[in-house]
Every structure is written in structure tokens, then in C-alpha cells.
Amino acid sequence: MSDAKPRFIEIFDTTLRDGGQTEGISYSVDDKLRIARKLDELGVAFIECGWPGSNPKDAAFFELARKETWVNSKLVAFGATRRAKLKSEDDPSVQALVGAGTEVCCIVGKSSVFQVTEVLRATLAENLQMIEDTATYLRLQGKRVIFDAEHFFDGFDKNPDYSLQALGAAHKGGAETLVLCDTNGGHLPWEVADTVRKVCAHFGPSVRIGVHTHDDTGCAVANTIAGVMAGANHVQGTINGYGERCGNANLCVVIPNLQLKLKMSALPAGHLERLNEVAHFVAEVANFAPNEQMAYVGKSAFAHKAGIHVSAMQRHPDAYQHIDPKLVGNEMRVVVSELSGRSNIVEKAAQFGLTGMDDKLGAKILELIKAKEHDGFSFEAAEASVTLLVRRLSPDYKPLFMLHDYRGMVSRHGDRQSAEATIKLEVLGHPVHMVAEGNGPVNAFDTALRKALQPTFPQVAQIQLSDYKVRILNGNSGTGAITRVLIDWHDGNERRWSTVGAGTNILDSTWLALADGYEFALSAATQPVVKTEALA
Ligand SMILES: [Zn+2]
């Protein structure tokens, strides 16, 4: 092992600018501020926040961001090179860039002959002048400048000399980093490596080269890594790979690859373990379901379902894992399903505080899970329901509430739809009868249950449904099919849990998942840890 300092790669996050181009994403100013704060905590070198010259929302963002303290990251305003017939001082978009008040500006300019002549409709010489002038002007305003060379790889493939001249113009204007963009995302890793190597050789080691890749060939992360291996020391990407079309390079995968696999440094020491939280936070604010299979930070990235894996991992945690999940803030999970072996159950039970469980009991629980899965339940994504299933086996377990009956009514009068639910239940032994209305039957049931529980458990007010999914299992049974309902919950803070219900009646499936959700949340703190002996 050498003591040499690891090579440092600048991380330039563009979740808020390029990532904001994702179909279905529309950040409010407040969303952008919250994400920027999280990225600052994570410690990326740069946070590209938006294009102040293009819309009032981004201008408003910079107004507010200027008043905050940013600890680890530099905020970046994005804009284009000046227009062909205007001086930078007269170009409103360049002026907006200056007005954003950031220390760093990123300017995008054309670097491909085709784009200059056919799209920009300027002469090749004019375009070079526009790049150089804009950089020079911003430098004179005291800004640090990063140059994004749009369509660089496409341009370089056909006319490398001109593409290098475009970079040279930015360098001459004082840009500190020249970023090669695979704007259309069509390249493959060895092509990116080849081009980056040639550009680095052309400018020499004193000029910082960056890469900005898109995922149109499914290679954005690989292209980024290939660029780094070929000499780039600056990488641009987004959290969760959000971005136009197929997305940008996913920093949640790029960063651990750089740090854990290539032993380079990208974030401040000790910050990598915040990655998982940041990935989920950004998904939440973007209102996207997190990609559970994402490398490193997906919920399933370290989930083990096959019994043989789990029993091996009880002896050697690294037997089926490429890294320790804690390094990126993720965790190893044991998934319980009918494919599970007893070792999964024992492992899972240990997580609920049930230790020393014998094989006999493990087999009993497994039997129960298999029977339930046969009826249409799926426990893989519903750990709270598994917890309750295990706890309920204990003769000491006292449910906080028990349903006696329910009645649901849905009606439609002209355009107006309404639903009403009546429930009769016992809350800590006391009978409660509650009626509630809702915009649909699920909403009416949920409201009735909340109203019934709230006087005894005021913390119900914090519990929120974050997702409600319905799946039809045996579709060829038509309307008689089994319906599985999965509900994701959170308490407004860090805590999240999921529950499941299944049956031929969608309201009944919903009821089971709803009741589990509240029971799990409310009982977690109040129930004693179940003793193994009590279960036998
Ligand atoms: Zn882009």
C-alpha cells in the first residue's frame, strides 16, 4: 500500500439543472433549495442550480440561495455563450448569469461543426469568438468559469480539429475546466476513453478535462468511468441518474465506483455513507418511486432472498456482497418469501428481537408465510406485515385494536362521486364505532380508522401513506381475481415501512394493509420484545 494521496475527481452535480429536464419532474423553488442543501451535506464540489436567464423560477432560486451558507459545495449558475450579434455586456442571458451571484458559472457552447453551421447558423470563426468572449467577460466579472462543450464527442468524431479549437477558445478565455459532453448520449465507453485521451494529450496535464454523459446507450456510468480512466478529473451527473430522455450519468453509482473500486477521492472523508439517504431524499422531493434495483443505493442492492445465500452470509457476510453496504449508507436485507429457507426466517426474526429461535419455530413461521403467499400475499416488500405476522404468534401479543365489522358504500350522483365507510372496532379493549366519508372507498376507510384511533394514539396524525399499489394476481379470473394491495408509509421523518393485504375483495385487501400499517407504527414502541420461548 502506498501513502500517496488518492487522485481527486471533482463531482459536478447537475440534478437541479440537467436533471430538472426529466419528464415528470417539476421542482418548486423550495424543492430546489432543499435538494441543494442535501447535496452540500453530501459534499459534491459543485451544485449546478439552474439557468437564471431562462426562467424566473431559477432567478428566484439564486436570490434565496445567496442568503444561505454553503459549507462543502460551490453553487453554479448555468447559461449559454453570448449570442452571435451581441456583446456579452448587452446579452441579457449573460447578464442574468452574472446577476445570479455565484462564484462559479458554467457556460455551454457549440463544439461540433454540424451544430455550429446547421443549428446555430453562425460561422465557425464567430462561434469560437463567442466562446472566448463570454469566458473572458465572466472572468473579468470575477467568476470562475467551467465550459460545457456541447455535442463534443459527435463533433470530434467528424472534425476533431474544430472541436479542439472550441475547447481552446474557452481555455484562452480563462475557463478552468473543459467539459466534453456526450449530449446525445450515443457513445460507448472505449470511444469516450479514446477521445478523452486525445484531448488530454492535446492540452497537457495542467488543463482540467471533464466529462458529461447521458444514458442513451445504457452506458452513462461506464462512459464516465472510462473518461476518468483516460484522464478526466471532473465528472458531471445527477442523483439517481435523472435527466432528459434516458437520463444523465448516475452519481449514486459513479461516486462509489470512483471511491470504493478505483480508490480515488470524490467526497469529503466520511461522507460517502450519506449517499443512500441523499438518493432517497431526492427521489422523494422529485416525487419518483426510488429505483429499488439501483446499484449501491437501491433497496434491493443488498437484499438476499435465496436461502442458501442467507445461510452462507450468516457465516461470511461478504459471501454474496461486493462491498459492505454500510459504506454507502445502505443495509443488508434478508427477504422473506416462499422461496426462503429457514435461515432467512431466523435472520429476519433476529432483526425483530427474536433471538435463539430454533429450527422448529422457524419452520412454523415459514409454513405460515408459504400459506399466506399461496393466498396472494407477498411479503418481500412488506416487512412490517412480516414483523406483525411473527409477533402475532406470541400468546403475549395484544393487538392495539381489533376490527369487528366494516361497511362501505360508494355512490355516484351525476358527476359527483362519494364514499362512506362505517367501522366497528375495539381500541385497547374499548368499543369504537366510527363513520367517515372520503373521495373514494379507500380514503373513507383510512379516514374512519384514523378518526377511531386518534383519541387514544394522537401520533396517528404523523402517519402518512406515501404509496398505494394494487396488483391483480390471477388476471384470467377477470373481476373475480385476487387483488394484492401494497401500502408504503412514513412518519414524516426518516421512518418508512410497508404493508400488504390480499384477497378477492379489494376493500378487504386494503383493510388488511391499512390495519397492519397503523398497528405496526403504533405498536413498535409499545410492545415488549417477543420472547422466543413464548412463541414455541
Ligand atoms: Zn446534458
Side-chain angles (χ1 to χ4, degrees):
M1 291 290 277
S2 83
D3 294 335
K5 259 178 89 178
R7 183 175 149 201
F8 177 66
I9 306 296
E10 278 185 357
I11 301 295
F12 182 105
D13 178 282
T14 182
T15 304
L16 298 175
R17 205 273 304 166
D18 226 1
Q21 308 291 327
T22 313
E23 190 173 356
I25 285 187
S26 169
Y27 297 124
S28 67
V29 172
D30 190 51
D31 291 340
K32 294 186 102 175
L33 280 167
R34 291 172 68 203
I35 291 176
R37 290 183 202 119
K38 263 286 179 253
L39 291 167
D40 183 50
E41 274 173 42
L42 180 65
V44 295
F46 299 100
I47 305 171
E48 190 173 51
C49 303
W51 190 333
S54 78
N55 66 76
K57 219 200 266 181
D58 282 359
F61 168 88
F62 286 107
E63 188 81 39
L64 292 169
R66 271 203 298 277
K67 298 179 187 140
E68 299 201 15
T69 311
W70 303 92
V71 181
N72 297 303
S73 312
K74 296 287 180 201
L75 299 195
V76 181
F78 174 83
T81 53
R82 69 161 171 83
R83 274 182 264 163
K85 307 292 178 218
L86 284 179
K87 288 182 176 164
S88 292
E89 45 269 55
D90 300 327
D91 186 316
S93 160
V94 176
Q95 289 310 306
L97 200 51
V98 175
T102 57
E103 181 187 325
V104 185
C105 292
C106 179
I107 50 170
V108 62
K110 303 273 182 217
S111 61
S112 117
V113 170
F114 170 77
Q115 292 286 330
V116 175
T117 54
E118 299 304 314
V119 180
L120 189 62
R121 292 168 184 264
T123 69
L124 295 176
E126 261 172 344
N127 177 57
L128 297 179
Q129 204 55 55
M130 285 154 62
I131 295 171
E132 187 185 331
D133 283 357
T134 314
T136 307
Y137 177 78
L138 291 170
R139 291 291 293 137
L140 286 170
Q141 307 305 309
K143 307 288 185 188
R144 289 168 60 187
V145 176
I146 293 170
F147 177 65
D148 272 9
E150 200 187 24
H151 296 108
F152 186 84
F153 291 91
D154 294 312
F156 191 89
D157 289 345
K158 294 215 169 71
N159 193 328
D161 287 345
Y162 185 76
S163 298
L164 287 171
Q165 284 172 39
L167 295 181
H171 180 57
K172 205 168 151 209
E176 64 179 40
T177 303
L178 310 174
V179 183
L180 319 185
C181 302
D182 189 19
T183 307
N184 296 356
H187 284 81
L188 295 170
W190 50 92
E191 298 166 347
V192 170
D194 191 45
T195 299
V196 170
R197 203 173 293 114
K198 286 174 182 157
V199 171
C200 288
H202 178 83
F203 284 98
S206 63
V207 176
R208 191 184 298 110
I209 301 300
V211 283
H212 173 120
T213 64
H214 279 266
D215 206 30
D216 300 73
T217 58
C219 291
V221 169
N223 285 348
T224 301
I225 299 298
V228 167
M229 296 308 283
N233 285 318
H234 169 114
V235 304
Q236 301 194 344
T238 61
I239 297 297
N240 297 329
Y242 295 152
E244 209 159 2
R245 307 186 308 276
C246 315
N248 286 61
N250 184 352
L251 291 179
C252 297
V253 184
V254 169
I255 295 173
N257 278 340
L258 292 176
Q259 295 208 169
L260 302 175
K261 303 294 172 178
L262 298 172
K263 309 294 175 206
M264 296 175 182
S265 121
L267 298 176
H271 284 218
L272 185 62
E273 53 203 60
R274 301 178 187 190
L275 194 64
N276 187 52
E277 189 210 329
V278 173
H280 286 85
F281 179 87
V282 172
E284 195 62 48
V285 176
N287 203 19
F288 276 11
N291 173 0
E292 297 190 345
Q293 290 191 308
M294 195 185 293
Y296 294 104
V297 296
K299 192 176 172 206
S300 303
F302 303 96
H304 304 278
K305 181 166 166 178
I308 182 170
H309 289 197
V310 176
S311 54
M313 289 192 40
Q314 282 168 343
R315 274 170 274 135
H316 297 286
D318 51 1
Y320 286 93
Q321 291 186 160
H322 70 119
I323 58 158
D324 176 355
K326 288 194 191 72
L327 293 170
V328 290
N330 207 342
E331 56 184 9
M332 195 267 270
R333 284 169 58 238
V334 174
V335 177
V336 171
S337 82
E338 58 187 343
L339 298 181
S340 302
R342 273 196 294 275
S343 43
N344 290 49
I345 303 290
V346 171
E347 181 74 33
K348 193 87 213 166
Q351 288 173 16
F352 308 146
L354 269 156
T355 46
M357 186 165 74
D358 60 22
D359 270 10
K360 210 174 107 201
L361 183 58
K364 188 172 159 189
I365 297 172
L366 191 58
E367 232 20 75
L368 190 57
I369 285 174
K370 283 182 178 170
K372 287 261 189 190
E373 291 210 338
H374 181 76
D375 294 341
F377 284 74
S378 164
F379 291 102
E380 287 170 41
E383 287 163 337
S385 289
V386 182
T387 311
L388 291 170
L389 185 113
V390 174
R391 284 190 184 153
R392 283 172 188 146
L393 287 175
S394 161
D396 293 344
Y397 187 77
K398 291 188 183 60
L400 303 177
F401 59 92
M402 255 168 24
L403 179 76
H404 290 313
D405 313 292
Y406 68 75
R407 203 146 29 93
M409 243 171 50
V410 284
S411 59
R412 181 178 187 126
H413 305 283
D415 285 348
R416 221 174 64 82
Q417 296 176 44
S418 64
E420 192 183 284
T422 306
I423 56 174
K424 278 188 199 163
L425 66 168
E426 229 178 88
V427 181
L428 294 181
H430 300 286
V432 179
H433 185 172
M434 192 58 69
V435 185
E437 291 183 324
N439 58 8
V442 173
N443 180 237
F445 264 107
D446 182 42
T447 311
L449 186 53
R450 274 171 188 272
K451 279 169 71 180
L453 295 173
Q454 198 136 8
T456 317
F457 304 104
Q459 63 269 44
V460 161
Q462 266 78 54
I463 301 176
Q464 291 169 41
L465 269 76
S466 54
D467 202 1
Y468 171 84
K469 286 180 230 141
V470 175
R471 193 160 305 156
I472 305 300
L473 295 184
N474 44 350
N476 48 10
S477 307
T479 49
I482 289 179
T483 309
R484 180 193 294 155
V485 168
L486 267 169
I487 303 181
D488 295 332
W489 306 77
H490 68 99
D491 66 354
N493 293 312
E494 297 288 288
R495 199 163 156 235
R496 304 182 163 274
W497 63 101
S498 306
T499 55
V500 63
T504 50
N505 172 346
I506 185 170
L507 285 184
D508 211 59
S509 310
T510 302
W511 169 265
L512 293 170
L514 272 178
D516 269 11
Y518 287 107
E519 187 171 349
F520 177 79
L522 299 173
S523 67
T526 56
Q527 289 286 333
V529 172
V530 191
K531 296 273 180 355
T532 308
E533 311 84 73
L535 283 172

